[in-house]
Amino acid sequence: MLTTLNTAYTDTRAADLAWALGREPLPALATLDLELTGAKLQLRLLGASHQVLVEQERGDCSETVACIRGSSTPLPLGVAKRAGDWEYEFAARVEILSPGQFAGRAQELLALVADHPHGLAGVFPGSPHAFTAMLAQHHEGQVHWRTWHAYPQDGQLVATRSRVGVRAGAGGSRRRPAASGPSAGPRTRGV
């Protein structure tokens, strides 16, 4: 789903983004409710970027990547957390693109997300390349989502990748994703 967001473009630099886990729902400009194999997921576009709310039988999770006043947690390159039976992973990277590369990448991402049944994208007024886009899926007992935050004035595109699900051994027969473990190396590829 593609929408035009009726708000001023408030998070005007990639460096202004902060990350938070476990925040209460913030006011959203657009939402997409999904049911993905036993998980309820809400993708939320904020005036200051995104929030994802996940509700599963074993508990809830919320991720916020936005300009958060008073936040002391800048956008990390990667996070891995365990809480009870849950595992959560987050990775982020910033691409710096020329104006031509940026326009092409923006069109590609908006086309991908706009027609996807699990995608939500919002374009901010003033630039067709100022947007936030989100795409979710369920895979091997885990909920995964990717997001893109575009800053055309600086040629910066922030890409994030997240997953949450039951920890190996906690849910019985669920398998741990391949590439886990100490020899797997950094988990930031493919963001």
Side-chain angles (χ1 to χ4, degrees):
M1 178 170 80
L2 179 64
T3 185
T4 299
L5 300 174
N6 188 20
T7 187
Y9 189 47
T10 59
D11 57 338
T12 57
R13 298 179 324 136
D16 292 339
L17 287 176
W19 167 87
L21 194 60
R23 288 186 68 104
E24 291 295 317
L26 297 172
L29 300 172
T31 62
L32 179 63
D33 292 309
L34 302 170
E35 183 93 27
L36 301 175
T37 315
K40 291 182 180 179
L41 186 72
Q42 186 176 70
L43 304 180
R44 302 168 61 81
L45 295 177
L46 312 176
S49 284
H50 89 258
Q51 188 171 52
V52 177
L53 306 177
V54 181
E55 180 184 323
Q56 288 184 316
E57 182 180 308
R58 292 183 176 253
D60 301 338
C61 176
S62 78
E63 171 192 277
T64 306
V65 172
C67 295
I68 303 169
R69 289 183 192 183
S71 175
S72 60
T73 307
L75 191 64
L77 294 177
V79 173
K81 290 193 172 272
R82 287 186 179 176
D85 291 345
W86 291 95
E87 287 184 328
Y88 166 85
E89 287 187 5
F90 171 85
R93 70 183 168 99
V94 179
E95 294 179 47
I96 299 178
L97 305 167
S98 71
Q101 291 171 320
F102 196 94
R105 185 89 166 112
Q107 289 173 346
E108 173 186 283
L109 289 169
L110 289 172
L112 170 73
V113 174
D115 295 329
H116 196 286
H118 302 150
L120 175 63
V123 177
F124 290 90
S127 171
H129 302 133
F131 68 90
T132 299
M134 309 170 74
L135 191 59
Q137 68 175 354
H138 189 274
H139 181 67
E140 292 185 0
Q142 307 271 324
V143 178
H144 300 253
W145 60 91
R146 297 177 66 186
T147 72
W148 299 272
H149 304 263
Y151 301 92
Q153 71 281 6
D154 297 325
Q156 294 182 328
L157 182 68
V158 178
T160 75
R161 178 179 47 86
S162 304
R163 75 167 182 86
V164 68
V166 176
R167 193 165 46 99
S173 64
R174 299 218 200 276
R175 294 182 345 181
R176 180 176 216 103
S180 287
S183 63
R187 295 187 55 108
T188 59
R189 266 184 72 188
V191 171

